[in-house]
Amino acid sequence: MTFDWSVVWRYRDALALGTAMTFLLTIATMAIAVPCGIVVASLRLYGVPPLRRLATAYVELFRNLPLILVVYWAFYVLPIVTGVGLSAFATGLAALALNVTAYNAETFRAGINSIRRGQLEAALALGMSRTQALRRVVVPQALRRVLPVLASTWVSLFKDTSLVSVIAVGELAYVSMQARAQTFRVLEMLTAMAAIYWLLGYPQAKLVDWIERRYAVTE
């Protein structure tokens, strides 16, 4: 068996662009899923009954569907149902955001529930509306408590972006598999892809460990 690692160097620009796309998907997904997760969690806790049931149904649906199925459904079924066709990138981003929002909603719900109810009641007694009390008093404290969980979600999302390669989004996994198909260098390209994911993922995992120690809540 012979190895040709030069193929990795030849595709370095494509791999770099794929890596950049992976980070872009991760950042964009979290930018959508964090505020949306707060909204869904708030609706589950404080919404009127119809909205509370709707938010609960949303969370239970997307937490119990495989992400790959959500990606396929958004790409193949959603355009048929709505008549609106999105680009592969927009479709992949929507599927990731829908999935991560559901998990973030549960994370924030747990964080909000961990704040003593007396703080919310005190804010209401001072004349704040419930929305103001949540925004100014409860959510900032809950955000600090759930930050380690959100960081772990980030690391998982960074790896899960590889799933949108099935609809030809040009992130790292898709670019690597395209190079493999063009060069027939399976071992070299898959090893390079694994090495890039590890080299980028390991520091993020260590950062999560630091965040968990730094922001751990002992009460």
Side-chain angles (χ1 to χ4, degrees):
M1 180 182 295
T2 59
F3 302 103
D4 181 12
W5 295 104
S6 66
V7 67
V8 178
W9 180 251
R10 292 202 304 272
Y11 280 86
R12 64 188 183 279
D13 292 338
L15 291 171
L17 289 174
T19 301
M21 179 65 75
T22 294
F23 273 110
L24 177 60
L25 276 169
T26 305
I27 294 168
T29 299
M30 288 300 283
I32 295 170
V34 168
C36 289
I38 294 173
V39 171
V40 174
S42 300
L43 289 176
R44 289 200 69 182
L45 290 170
Y46 306 112
V48 296
L51 290 178
R52 191 180 305 165
R53 287 192 291 270
L54 183 63
T56 300
Y58 167 82
V59 169
E60 294 302 325
L61 174 64
F62 284 98
R63 285 180 68 212
N64 291 284
L65 284 179
L67 178 55
I68 189 69
L69 176 60
V70 178
V71 172
Y72 276 127
W73 191 91
F75 190 72
Y76 291 107
V77 180
L78 193 60
I80 298 174
V81 174
T82 64
V84 177
L86 299 176
S87 66
F89 176 83
T91 302
L93 177 59
L96 291 169
L98 286 169
N99 179 266
V100 178
T101 293
Y103 284 94
N104 282 354
E106 286 299 272
T107 298
F108 279 111
R109 187 166 72 97
I112 291 172
N113 278 333
S114 71
I115 306 301
R116 292 186 180 126
R117 186 168 182 81
Q119 296 195 37
L120 176 62
E121 294 172 348
L124 295 175
L126 290 173
M128 293 185 191
S129 66
R130 186 178 294 273
T131 301
Q132 290 174 327
L134 287 172
R135 187 176 71 249
R136 298 177 183 177
V137 178
V138 177
V139 170
Q141 295 182 75
L143 184 60
R144 177 185 174 92
R145 296 190 176 203
V146 304
L147 189 57
V149 182
L150 291 179
S152 295
T153 300
W154 169 282
V155 174
S156 296
L157 173 62
F158 178 77
K159 295 177 290 185
D160 287 344
T161 55
S162 61
L163 293 175
V164 301
S165 63
V166 299
I167 57 172
V169 178
E171 45 68 65
L172 178 58
Y174 179 78
V175 169
S176 300
M177 297 304 289
Q178 287 294 101
R180 175 200 61 80
Q182 293 167 11
T183 63
F184 302 102
R185 307 307 303 188
V186 177
L187 185 147
E188 291 89 339
M189 293 311 304
L190 293 186
T191 301
M193 178 174 66
I196 293 171
Y197 272 114
W198 188 88
L199 289 171
L200 295 175
Y202 182 75
Q204 296 179 62
K206 294 288 97 180
L207 179 60
V208 169
D209 292 340
W210 178 84
I211 290 174
E212 289 179 345
R213 294 192 300 270
R214 176 67 176 79
Y215 294 98
V217 177
T218 56
E219 66 172 347

